[in-house]
PDB file of all heavy atoms in Angstrom:
ATOM      1  N   MET A   1      33.842 -10.557  13.255  1.00  0.00           N
ATOM      2  CA  MET A   1      32.782 -10.829  14.220  1.00  0.00           C
ATOM      3  C   MET A   1      33.304 -11.766  15.304  1.00  0.00           C
ATOM      4  O   MET A   1      33.730 -12.879  15.027  1.00  0.00           O
ATOM      5  CB  MET A   1      31.603 -11.467  13.499  1.00  0.00           C
ATOM      6  CG  MET A   1      30.288 -11.065  14.092  1.00  0.00           C
ATOM      7  SD  MET A   1      28.953 -11.642  13.090  1.00  0.00           S
ATOM      8  CE  MET A   1      29.035 -10.499  11.731  1.00  0.00           C
ATOM      9  N   THR A   2      33.300 -11.317  16.488  1.00  0.00           N
ATOM     10  CA  THR A   2      33.869 -12.122  17.556  1.00  0.00           C
ATOM     11  C   THR A   2      32.754 -12.814  18.314  1.00  0.00           C
ATOM     12  O   THR A   2      32.141 -12.240  19.208  1.00  0.00           O
ATOM     13  CB  THR A   2      34.665 -11.237  18.532  1.00  0.00           C
ATOM     14  OG1 THR A   2      33.790 -10.191  18.952  1.00  0.00           O
ATOM     15  CG2 THR A   2      35.892 -10.664  17.882  1.00  0.00           C
ATOM     16  N   ASP A  13      24.678 -25.968  22.874  1.00  0.00           N
ATOM     17  CA  ASP A  13      24.961 -24.663  22.320  1.00  0.00           C
ATOM     18  C   ASP A  13      24.894 -24.650  20.804  1.00  0.00           C
ATOM     19  O   ASP A  13      24.436 -23.685  20.216  1.00  0.00           O
ATOM     20  CB  ASP A  13      26.330 -24.206  22.793  1.00  0.00           C
ATOM     21  CG  ASP A  13      26.192 -23.290  23.997  1.00  0.00           C
ATOM     22  OD1 ASP A  13      25.070 -23.218  24.554  1.00  0.00           O
ATOM     23  OD2 ASP A  13      27.180 -22.662  24.360  1.00  0.00           O
ATOM     24  N   ASP A  17      22.620 -22.238  18.789  1.00  0.00           N
ATOM     25  CA  ASP A  17      23.109 -21.251  17.830  1.00  0.00           C
ATOM     26  C   ASP A  17      22.433 -21.418  16.483  1.00  0.00           C
ATOM     27  O   ASP A  17      22.008 -20.444  15.864  1.00  0.00           O
ATOM     28  CB  ASP A  17      24.632 -21.376  17.668  1.00  0.00           C
ATOM     29  CG  ASP A  17      25.347 -20.883  18.926  1.00  0.00           C
ATOM     30  OD1 ASP A  17      24.635 -20.552  19.896  1.00  0.00           O
ATOM     31  OD2 ASP A  17      26.585 -20.838  18.922  1.00  0.00           O
ATOM     32  N   LEU A  20      18.752 -20.293  16.902  1.00  0.00           N
ATOM     33  CA  LEU A  20      18.583 -18.848  16.995  1.00  0.00           C
ATOM     34  C   LEU A  20      18.989 -18.163  15.690  1.00  0.00           C
ATOM     35  O   LEU A  20      18.374 -17.197  15.271  1.00  0.00           O
ATOM     36  CB  LEU A  20      19.402 -18.280  18.159  1.00  0.00           C
ATOM     37  CG  LEU A  20      18.803 -18.476  19.546  1.00  0.00           C
ATOM     38  CD1 LEU A  20      19.707 -17.845  20.592  1.00  0.00           C
ATOM     39  CD2 LEU A  20      17.414 -17.879  19.634  1.00  0.00           C
ATOM     40  N   TYR A  23      16.052 -19.058  13.224  1.00  0.00           N
ATOM     41  CA  TYR A  23      14.660 -18.774  13.538  1.00  0.00           C
ATOM     42  C   TYR A  23      14.271 -17.357  13.100  1.00  0.00           C
ATOM     43  O   TYR A  23      14.929 -16.388  13.470  1.00  0.00           O
ATOM     44  CB  TYR A  23      14.407 -18.923  15.035  1.00  0.00           C
ATOM     45  CG  TYR A  23      12.950 -18.802  15.405  1.00  0.00           C
ATOM     46  CD1 TYR A  23      12.044 -19.785  15.033  1.00  0.00           C
ATOM     47  CD2 TYR A  23      12.474 -17.694  16.085  1.00  0.00           C
ATOM     48  CE1 TYR A  23      10.712 -19.677  15.351  1.00  0.00           C
ATOM     49  CE2 TYR A  23      11.137 -17.577  16.400  1.00  0.00           C
ATOM     50  CZ  TYR A  23      10.261 -18.577  16.033  1.00  0.00           C
ATOM     51  OH  TYR A  23       8.931 -18.466  16.338  1.00  0.00           O
ATOM     52  N   ARG A  28       9.307 -11.929   7.037  1.00  0.00           N
ATOM     53  CA  ARG A  28       9.006 -10.706   6.290  1.00  0.00           C
ATOM     54  C   ARG A  28       7.566 -10.319   6.594  1.00  0.00           C
ATOM     55  O   ARG A  28       6.688 -11.169   6.623  1.00  0.00           O
ATOM     56  CB  ARG A  28       9.142 -10.951   4.794  1.00  0.00           C
ATOM     57  CG  ARG A  28      10.534 -11.360   4.364  1.00  0.00           C
ATOM     58  CD  ARG A  28      11.352 -10.191   3.972  1.00  0.00           C
ATOM     59  NE  ARG A  28      10.819  -9.568   2.756  1.00  0.00           N
ATOM     60  CZ  ARG A  28      11.313  -8.456   2.243  1.00  0.00           C
ATOM     61  NH1 ARG A  28      12.280  -7.840   2.849  1.00  0.00           N
ATOM     62  NH2 ARG A  28      10.813  -7.964   1.130  1.00  0.00           N
ATOM     63  N   ASP A  33       0.454  -5.701   6.926  1.00  0.00           N
ATOM     64  CA  ASP A  33       0.995  -5.344   8.240  1.00  0.00           C
ATOM     65  C   ASP A  33       1.787  -4.064   8.120  1.00  0.00           C
ATOM     66  O   ASP A  33       1.682  -3.158   8.931  1.00  0.00           O
ATOM     67  CB  ASP A  33       1.963  -6.423   8.750  1.00  0.00           C
ATOM     68  CG  ASP A  33       1.235  -7.705   9.049  1.00  0.00           C
ATOM     69  OD1 ASP A  33       0.006  -7.664   9.164  1.00  0.00           O
ATOM     70  OD2 ASP A  33       1.914  -8.740   9.135  1.00  0.00           O
ATOM     71  N   ARG A  34       2.593  -4.077   7.094  1.00  0.00           N
ATOM     72  CA  ARG A  34       3.471  -2.965   6.843  1.00  0.00           C
ATOM     73  C   ARG A  34       2.654  -1.675   6.723  1.00  0.00           C
ATOM     74  O   ARG A  34       2.942  -0.665   7.356  1.00  0.00           O
ATOM     75  CB  ARG A  34       4.152  -3.273   5.514  1.00  0.00           C
ATOM     76  CG  ARG A  34       5.300  -2.439   5.173  1.00  0.00           C
ATOM     77  CD  ARG A  34       5.733  -2.822   3.747  1.00  0.00           C
ATOM     78  NE  ARG A  34       6.723  -1.874   3.327  1.00  0.00           N
ATOM     79  CZ  ARG A  34       8.009  -2.007   3.596  1.00  0.00           C
ATOM     80  NH1 ARG A  34       8.445  -3.071   4.213  1.00  0.00           N
ATOM     81  NH2 ARG A  34       8.844  -1.075   3.246  1.00  0.00           N
ATOM     82  N   ASP A  46       0.203  12.698  12.909  1.00  0.00           N
ATOM     83  CA  ASP A  46      -0.762  13.764  12.606  1.00  0.00           C
ATOM     84  C   ASP A  46      -1.319  14.327  13.900  1.00  0.00           C
ATOM     85  O   ASP A  46      -1.463  15.525  14.071  1.00  0.00           O
ATOM     86  CB  ASP A  46      -1.925  13.216  11.769  1.00  0.00           C
ATOM     87  CG  ASP A  46      -1.487  12.936  10.349  1.00  0.00           C
ATOM     88  OD1 ASP A  46      -0.400  13.415   9.979  1.00  0.00           O
ATOM     89  OD2 ASP A  46      -2.220  12.239   9.634  1.00  0.00           O
ATOM     90  N   ARG A 275      -7.468  -1.316  14.267  1.00  0.00           N
ATOM     91  CA  ARG A 275      -6.430  -2.117  14.877  1.00  0.00           C
ATOM     92  C   ARG A 275      -7.039  -3.187  15.761  1.00  0.00           C
ATOM     93  O   ARG A 275      -6.594  -4.330  15.782  1.00  0.00           O
ATOM     94  CB  ARG A 275      -5.521  -1.204  15.677  1.00  0.00           C
ATOM     95  CG  ARG A 275      -4.297  -1.886  16.147  1.00  0.00           C
ATOM     96  CD  ARG A 275      -3.293  -0.872  16.592  1.00  0.00           C
ATOM     97  NE  ARG A 275      -2.131  -1.563  17.081  1.00  0.00           N
ATOM     98  CZ  ARG A 275      -1.657  -1.407  18.305  1.00  0.00           C
ATOM     99  NH1 ARG A 275      -2.230  -0.587  19.140  1.00  0.00           N
ATOM    100  NH2 ARG A 275      -0.585  -2.074  18.674  1.00  0.00           N
ATOM    101  N   LYS A 279      -6.699  -7.200  15.349  1.00  0.00           N
ATOM    102  CA  LYS A 279      -6.302  -8.137  16.390  1.00  0.00           C
ATOM    103  C   LYS A 279      -7.303  -9.274  16.506  1.00  0.00           C
ATOM    104  O   LYS A 279      -6.936 -10.430  16.607  1.00  0.00           O
ATOM    105  CB  LYS A 279      -6.228  -7.413  17.737  1.00  0.00           C
ATOM    106  CG  LYS A 279      -4.864  -6.897  18.071  1.00  0.00           C
ATOM    107  CD  LYS A 279      -4.861  -6.490  19.523  1.00  0.00           C
ATOM    108  CE  LYS A 279      -3.465  -6.393  20.074  1.00  0.00           C
ATOM    109  NZ  LYS A 279      -3.473  -5.958  21.461  1.00  0.00           N
ATOM    110  N   ARG A 286      -6.254 -17.580  14.083  1.00  0.00           N
ATOM    111  CA  ARG A 286      -5.496 -18.610  14.781  1.00  0.00           C
ATOM    112  C   ARG A 286      -6.406 -19.724  15.267  1.00  0.00           C
ATOM    113  O   ARG A 286      -6.078 -20.902  15.178  1.00  0.00           O
ATOM    114  CB  ARG A 286      -4.723 -17.993  15.946  1.00  0.00           C
ATOM    115  CG  ARG A 286      -3.423 -17.412  15.461  1.00  0.00           C
ATOM    116  CD  ARG A 286      -2.935 -16.320  16.330  1.00  0.00           C
ATOM    117  NE  ARG A 286      -2.508 -16.814  17.649  1.00  0.00           N
ATOM    118  CZ  ARG A 286      -1.939 -16.031  18.551  1.00  0.00           C
ATOM    119  NH1 ARG A 286      -1.733 -14.778  18.280  1.00  0.00           N
ATOM    120  NH2 ARG A 286      -1.580 -16.510  19.705  1.00  0.00           N
ATOM    121  N   ALA A 363       5.779 -16.014   4.499  1.00  0.00           N
ATOM    122  CA  ALA A 363       6.285 -16.214   5.844  1.00  0.00           C
ATOM    123  C   ALA A 363       5.229 -16.788   6.774  1.00  0.00           C
ATOM    124  O   ALA A 363       5.521 -17.175   7.883  1.00  0.00           O
ATOM    125  CB  ALA A 363       6.793 -14.901   6.398  1.00  0.00           C
ATOM    126  N   LEU A 487      15.696   4.821  -4.898  1.00  0.00           N
ATOM    127  CA  LEU A 487      16.440   6.033  -4.546  1.00  0.00           C
ATOM    128  C   LEU A 487      15.981   6.622  -3.224  1.00  0.00           C
ATOM    129  O   LEU A 487      16.788   7.042  -2.412  1.00  0.00           O
ATOM    130  CB  LEU A 487      16.291   7.090  -5.643  1.00  0.00           C
ATOM    131  CG  LEU A 487      17.106   6.889  -6.916  1.00  0.00           C
ATOM    132  CD1 LEU A 487      17.030   8.119  -7.778  1.00  0.00           C
ATOM    133  CD2 LEU A 487      18.559   6.569  -6.592  1.00  0.00           C
ATOM    134  N   ARG A 488      14.681   6.688  -3.001  1.00  0.00           N
ATOM    135  CA  ARG A 488      14.225   7.391  -1.806  1.00  0.00           C
ATOM    136  C   ARG A 488      14.097   6.451  -0.619  1.00  0.00           C
ATOM    137  O   ARG A 488      14.518   6.776   0.483  1.00  0.00           O
ATOM    138  CB  ARG A 488      12.900   8.089  -2.087  1.00  0.00           C
ATOM    139  CG  ARG A 488      13.061   9.172  -3.151  1.00  0.00           C
ATOM    140  CD  ARG A 488      12.004  10.241  -3.049  1.00  0.00           C
ATOM    141  NE  ARG A 488      12.119  10.978  -1.806  1.00  0.00           N
ATOM    142  CZ  ARG A 488      11.116  11.670  -1.286  1.00  0.00           C
ATOM    143  NH1 ARG A 488       9.948  11.679  -1.884  1.00  0.00           N
ATOM    144  NH2 ARG A 488      11.282  12.329  -0.174  1.00  0.00           N
ATOM    145  N   GLU A 489      13.478   5.301  -0.828  1.00  0.00           N
ATOM    146  CA  GLU A 489      13.312   4.405   0.309  1.00  0.00           C
ATOM    147  C   GLU A 489      14.557   3.570   0.548  1.00  0.00           C
ATOM    148  O   GLU A 489      14.742   2.997   1.615  1.00  0.00           O
ATOM    149  CB  GLU A 489      12.088   3.502   0.110  1.00  0.00           C
ATOM    150  CG  GLU A 489      10.815   4.302   0.070  1.00  0.00           C
ATOM    151  CD  GLU A 489       9.573   3.440  -0.093  1.00  0.00           C
ATOM    152  OE1 GLU A 489       9.655   2.227   0.134  1.00  0.00           O
ATOM    153  OE2 GLU A 489       8.537   4.006  -0.453  1.00  0.00           O
ATOM    154  N   ASN A 570       1.034  14.955   3.004  1.00  0.00           N
ATOM    155  CA  ASN A 570       2.487  14.834   2.777  1.00  0.00           C
ATOM    156  C   ASN A 570       2.947  15.818   1.724  1.00  0.00           C
ATOM    157  O   ASN A 570       2.234  16.078   0.768  1.00  0.00           O
ATOM    158  CB  ASN A 570       2.825  13.446   2.244  1.00  0.00           C
ATOM    159  CG  ASN A 570       2.672  12.390   3.293  1.00  0.00           C
ATOM    160  OD1 ASN A 570       2.046  12.635   4.314  1.00  0.00           O
ATOM    161  ND2 ASN A 570       3.221  11.223   3.029  1.00  0.00           N
ATOM    162  N   GLY A 696       2.836   5.273   0.357  1.00  0.00           N
ATOM    163  CA  GLY A 696       2.432   4.437   1.483  1.00  0.00           C
ATOM    164  C   GLY A 696       1.109   3.730   1.291  1.00  0.00           C
ATOM    165  O   GLY A 696       0.888   2.650   1.800  1.00  0.00           O
TER     166      GLY A 696
ATOM    167  N   THR B   4      18.741  10.068  -2.619  1.00  0.00           N
ATOM    168  CA  THR B   4      18.518   9.296  -1.413  1.00  0.00           C
ATOM    169  C   THR B   4      18.868  10.141  -0.204  1.00  0.00           C
ATOM    170  O   THR B   4      20.007  10.571  -0.064  1.00  0.00           O
ATOM    171  CB  THR B   4      19.387   8.035  -1.419  1.00  0.00           C
ATOM    172  OG1 THR B   4      19.208   7.397  -2.665  1.00  0.00           O
ATOM    173  CG2 THR B   4      19.002   7.109  -0.299  1.00  0.00           C
ATOM    174  N   ARG B  19       5.657  14.949   7.271  1.00  0.00           N
ATOM    175  CA  ARG B  19       4.956  13.673   7.322  1.00  0.00           C
ATOM    176  C   ARG B  19       5.570  12.682   6.327  1.00  0.00           C
ATOM    177  O   ARG B  19       5.690  11.489   6.601  1.00  0.00           O
ATOM    178  CB  ARG B  19       3.502  13.923   6.973  1.00  0.00           C
ATOM    179  CG  ARG B  19       2.568  12.790   7.269  1.00  0.00           C
ATOM    180  CD  ARG B  19       1.155  13.274   6.938  1.00  0.00           C
ATOM    181  NE  ARG B  19       0.140  12.354   7.425  1.00  0.00           N
ATOM    182  CZ  ARG B  19      -0.271  11.302   6.747  1.00  0.00           C
ATOM    183  NH1 ARG B  19       0.245  11.016   5.584  1.00  0.00           N
ATOM    184  NH2 ARG B  19      -1.200  10.517   7.243  1.00  0.00           N
ATOM    185  N   GLU B  23       7.145   8.800   6.885  1.00  0.00           N
ATOM    186  CA  GLU B  23       6.601   7.685   6.114  1.00  0.00           C
ATOM    187  C   GLU B  23       7.728   6.940   5.400  1.00  0.00           C
ATOM    188  O   GLU B  23       7.806   5.716   5.404  1.00  0.00           O
ATOM    189  CB  GLU B  23       5.582   8.214   5.105  1.00  0.00           C
ATOM    190  CG  GLU B  23       4.904   7.105   4.332  1.00  0.00           C
ATOM    191  CD  GLU B  23       3.769   7.604   3.468  1.00  0.00           C
ATOM    192  OE1 GLU B  23       3.459   8.812   3.509  1.00  0.00           O
ATOM    193  OE2 GLU B  23       3.197   6.780   2.744  1.00  0.00           O
ATOM    194  N   ALA B  27       8.970   3.202   5.967  1.00  0.00           N
ATOM    195  CA  ALA B  27       8.934   2.285   4.828  1.00  0.00           C
ATOM    196  C   ALA B  27      10.303   1.645   4.644  1.00  0.00           C
ATOM    197  O   ALA B  27      10.430   0.457   4.371  1.00  0.00           O
ATOM    198  CB  ALA B  27       8.526   3.032   3.572  1.00  0.00           C
ATOM    199  N   ARG B  28      11.326   2.456   4.827  1.00  0.00           N
ATOM    200  CA  ARG B  28      12.682   1.972   4.614  1.00  0.00           C
ATOM    201  C   ARG B  28      13.041   0.899   5.636  1.00  0.00           C
ATOM    202  O   ARG B  28      13.732  -0.062   5.338  1.00  0.00           O
ATOM    203  CB  ARG B  28      13.640   3.162   4.731  1.00  0.00           C
ATOM    204  CG  ARG B  28      15.048   2.883   4.336  1.00  0.00           C
ATOM    205  CD  ARG B  28      15.888   4.129   4.505  1.00  0.00           C
ATOM    206  NE  ARG B  28      15.693   5.111   3.446  1.00  0.00           N
ATOM    207  CZ  ARG B  28      16.357   6.266   3.398  1.00  0.00           C
ATOM    208  NH1 ARG B  28      17.208   6.574   4.344  1.00  0.00           N
ATOM    209  NH2 ARG B  28      16.144   7.097   2.411  1.00  0.00           N
ATOM    210  N   ASP B  31      10.896  -3.531   7.458  1.00  0.00           N
ATOM    211  CA  ASP B  31      11.283  -4.949   7.419  1.00  0.00           C
ATOM    212  C   ASP B  31      12.179  -5.303   8.607  1.00  0.00           C
ATOM    213  O   ASP B  31      12.008  -6.345   9.236  1.00  0.00           O
ATOM    214  CB  ASP B  31      12.012  -5.279   6.109  1.00  0.00           C
ATOM    215  CG  ASP B  31      11.051  -5.352   4.934  1.00  0.00           C
ATOM    216  OD1 ASP B  31       9.836  -5.134   5.166  1.00  0.00           O
ATOM    217  OD2 ASP B  31      11.498  -5.606   3.813  1.00  0.00           O
ATOM    218  N   GLY B  42       8.965 -13.998  19.497  1.00  0.00           N
ATOM    219  CA  GLY B  42       8.914 -15.443  19.336  1.00  0.00           C
ATOM    220  C   GLY B  42       7.905 -15.882  18.299  1.00  0.00           C
ATOM    221  O   GLY B  42       7.946 -17.006  17.840  1.00  0.00           O
ATOM    222  N   GLN B  44       4.870 -14.397  15.058  1.00  0.00           N
ATOM    223  CA  GLN B  44       4.545 -13.281  14.172  1.00  0.00           C
ATOM    224  C   GLN B  44       3.381 -12.451  14.676  1.00  0.00           C
ATOM    225  O   GLN B  44       3.340 -11.248  14.465  1.00  0.00           O
ATOM    226  CB  GLN B  44       4.230 -13.814  12.773  1.00  0.00           C
ATOM    227  CG  GLN B  44       5.405 -14.530  12.171  1.00  0.00           C
ATOM    228  CD  GLN B  44       5.261 -14.691  10.679  1.00  0.00           C
ATOM    229  OE1 GLN B  44       5.540 -13.789   9.910  1.00  0.00           O
ATOM    230  NE2 GLN B  44       4.796 -15.849  10.269  1.00  0.00           N
ATOM    231  N   THR B  45       2.422 -13.103  15.320  1.00  0.00           N
ATOM    232  CA  THR B  45       1.257 -12.349  15.779  1.00  0.00           C
ATOM    233  C   THR B  45       1.664 -11.273  16.767  1.00  0.00           C
ATOM    234  O   THR B  45       1.302 -10.111  16.628  1.00  0.00           O
ATOM    235  CB  THR B  45       0.256 -13.297  16.457  1.00  0.00           C
ATOM    236  OG1 THR B  45       0.138 -14.450  15.639  1.00  0.00           O
ATOM    237  CG2 THR B  45      -1.079 -12.645  16.600  1.00  0.00           C
ATOM    238  N   GLN B  48       3.815  -8.601  15.169  1.00  0.00           N
ATOM    239  CA  GLN B  48       3.072  -7.536  14.481  1.00  0.00           C
ATOM    240  C   GLN B  48       2.698  -6.437  15.459  1.00  0.00           C
ATOM    241  O   GLN B  48       2.829  -5.247  15.164  1.00  0.00           O
ATOM    242  CB  GLN B  48       1.789  -8.095  13.866  1.00  0.00           C
ATOM    243  CG  GLN B  48       2.024  -8.854  12.572  1.00  0.00           C
ATOM    244  CD  GLN B  48       0.808  -9.661  12.167  1.00  0.00           C
ATOM    245  OE1 GLN B  48      -0.277  -9.489  12.696  1.00  0.00           O
ATOM    246  NE2 GLN B  48       0.983 -10.543  11.206  1.00  0.00           N
ATOM    247  N   ASP B  49       2.221  -6.843  16.624  1.00  0.00           N
ATOM    248  CA  ASP B  49       1.854  -5.848  17.636  1.00  0.00           C
ATOM    249  C   ASP B  49       3.050  -5.001  18.024  1.00  0.00           C
ATOM    250  O   ASP B  49       2.964  -3.782  18.116  1.00  0.00           O
ATOM    251  CB  ASP B  49       1.345  -6.561  18.905  1.00  0.00           C
ATOM    252  CG  ASP B  49      -0.138  -6.865  18.801  1.00  0.00           C
ATOM    253  OD1 ASP B  49      -0.674  -6.661  17.704  1.00  0.00           O
ATOM    254  OD2 ASP B  49      -0.730  -7.284  19.805  1.00  0.00           O
ATOM    255  N   GLN B  52       4.099  -2.643  15.345  1.00  0.00           N
ATOM    256  CA  GLN B  52       3.198  -1.482  15.296  1.00  0.00           C
ATOM    257  C   GLN B  52       3.510  -0.505  16.419  1.00  0.00           C
ATOM    258  O   GLN B  52       3.613   0.695  16.206  1.00  0.00           O
ATOM    259  CB  GLN B  52       1.743  -1.937  15.434  1.00  0.00           C
ATOM    260  CG  GLN B  52       1.174  -2.486  14.149  1.00  0.00           C
ATOM    261  CD  GLN B  52      -0.275  -2.900  14.310  1.00  0.00           C
ATOM    262  OE1 GLN B  52      -0.930  -2.553  15.282  1.00  0.00           O
ATOM    263  NE2 GLN B  52      -0.784  -3.631  13.334  1.00  0.00           N
ATOM    264  N   ASN B  53       3.651  -1.054  17.619  1.00  0.00           N
ATOM    265  CA  ASN B  53       3.979  -0.186  18.747  1.00  0.00           C
ATOM    266  C   ASN B  53       5.296   0.537  18.518  1.00  0.00           C
ATOM    267  O   ASN B  53       5.442   1.698  18.873  1.00  0.00           O
ATOM    268  CB  ASN B  53       4.059  -1.002  20.041  1.00  0.00           C
ATOM    269  CG  ASN B  53       2.676  -1.392  20.533  1.00  0.00           C
ATOM    270  OD1 ASN B  53       1.679  -0.852  20.059  1.00  0.00           O
ATOM    271  ND2 ASN B  53       2.617  -2.319  21.460  1.00  0.00           N
ATOM    272  N   GLU B  98       4.567 -18.192  22.605  1.00  0.00           N
ATOM    273  CA  GLU B  98       4.240 -19.090  21.509  1.00  0.00           C
ATOM    274  C   GLU B  98       5.315 -18.989  20.438  1.00  0.00           C
ATOM    275  O   GLU B  98       5.850 -17.912  20.195  1.00  0.00           O
ATOM    276  CB  GLU B  98       2.894 -18.680  20.895  1.00  0.00           C
ATOM    277  CG  GLU B  98       1.743 -18.912  21.847  1.00  0.00           C
ATOM    278  CD  GLU B  98       0.492 -18.216  21.343  1.00  0.00           C
ATOM    279  OE1 GLU B  98       0.176 -18.380  20.153  1.00  0.00           O
ATOM    280  OE2 GLU B  98      -0.135 -17.512  22.135  1.00  0.00           O
ATOM    281  N   ASP B 100       6.300 -19.840  16.417  1.00  0.00           N
ATOM    282  CA  ASP B 100       5.763 -20.192  15.100  1.00  0.00           C
ATOM    283  C   ASP B 100       6.612 -21.293  14.469  1.00  0.00           C
ATOM    284  O   ASP B 100       7.786 -21.086  14.197  1.00  0.00           O
ATOM    285  CB  ASP B 100       5.805 -18.979  14.161  1.00  0.00           C
ATOM    286  CG  ASP B 100       4.623 -18.063  14.373  1.00  0.00           C
ATOM    287  OD1 ASP B 100       3.706 -18.469  15.100  1.00  0.00           O
ATOM    288  OD2 ASP B 100       4.634 -16.969  13.814  1.00  0.00           O
ATOM    289  N   SER B 141      21.566 -14.583  17.233  1.00  0.00           N
ATOM    290  CA  SER B 141      20.503 -14.603  16.249  1.00  0.00           C
ATOM    291  C   SER B 141      20.716 -13.563  15.162  1.00  0.00           C
ATOM    292  O   SER B 141      20.540 -13.829  13.985  1.00  0.00           O
ATOM    293  CB  SER B 141      19.155 -14.362  16.942  1.00  0.00           C
ATOM    294  OG  SER B 141      18.125 -14.399  16.005  1.00  0.00           O
ATOM    295  N   GLY B 143      23.566 -12.131  14.548  1.00  0.00           N
ATOM    296  CA  GLY B 143      24.919 -12.248  14.002  1.00  0.00           C
ATOM    297  C   GLY B 143      25.785 -11.021  14.192  1.00  0.00           C
ATOM    298  O   GLY B 143      26.648 -10.723  13.369  1.00  0.00           O
ATOM    299  N   HIS B 146      30.271  -8.514  19.304  1.00  0.00           N
ATOM    300  CA  HIS B 146      30.001  -8.089  20.674  1.00  0.00           C
ATOM    301  C   HIS B 146      30.026  -6.571  20.780  1.00  0.00           C
ATOM    302  O   HIS B 146      29.289  -5.986  21.568  1.00  0.00           O
ATOM    303  CB  HIS B 146      31.028  -8.710  21.624  1.00  0.00           C
ATOM    304  CG  HIS B 146      30.802 -10.188  21.827  1.00  0.00           C
ATOM    305  ND1 HIS B 146      31.269 -10.887  22.912  1.00  0.00           N
ATOM    306  CD2 HIS B 146      30.134 -11.092  21.084  1.00  0.00           C
ATOM    307  CE1 HIS B 146      30.918 -12.157  22.818  1.00  0.00           C
ATOM    308  NE2 HIS B 146      30.228 -12.292  21.694  1.00  0.00           N
ATOM    309  N   ARG B 168      23.661 -18.788  28.357  1.00  0.00           N
ATOM    310  CA  ARG B 168      23.882 -20.178  27.949  1.00  0.00           C
ATOM    311  C   ARG B 168      23.811 -21.115  29.146  1.00  0.00           C
ATOM    312  O   ARG B 168      23.262 -22.214  29.064  1.00  0.00           O
ATOM    313  CB  ARG B 168      25.249 -20.311  27.265  1.00  0.00           C
ATOM    314  CG  ARG B 168      25.307 -19.656  25.899  1.00  0.00           C
ATOM    315  CD  ARG B 168      26.592 -20.076  25.189  1.00  0.00           C
ATOM    316  NE  ARG B 168      26.849 -19.317  23.988  1.00  0.00           N
ATOM    317  CZ  ARG B 168      26.263 -19.536  22.825  1.00  0.00           C
ATOM    318  NH1 ARG B 168      25.354 -20.486  22.711  1.00  0.00           N
ATOM    319  NH2 ARG B 168      26.567 -18.810  21.770  1.00  0.00           N
TER     320      ARG B 168
END
Side-chain angles (χ1 to χ4, degrees):
Chain A
M1 214 172 285
T2 54
D13 263 11
D17 289 5
L20 282 181
Y23 187 69
R28 299 268 293 176
D33 293 343
R34 193 186 171 86
D46 287 346
R275 190 165 178 238
K279 267 192 161 178
R286 276 154 69 175
L487 284 190
R488 296 204 65 201
E489 296 181 17
N570 289 16
Chain B
T4 310
R19 193 176 191 274
E23 184 172 357
R28 189 180 283 181
D31 285 0
Q44 299 197 82
T45 315
Q48 282 167 13
D49 274 8
Q52 281 181 14
N53 285 346
E98 292 167 48
D100 278 350
S141 181
H146 287 202
R168 290 191 190 281

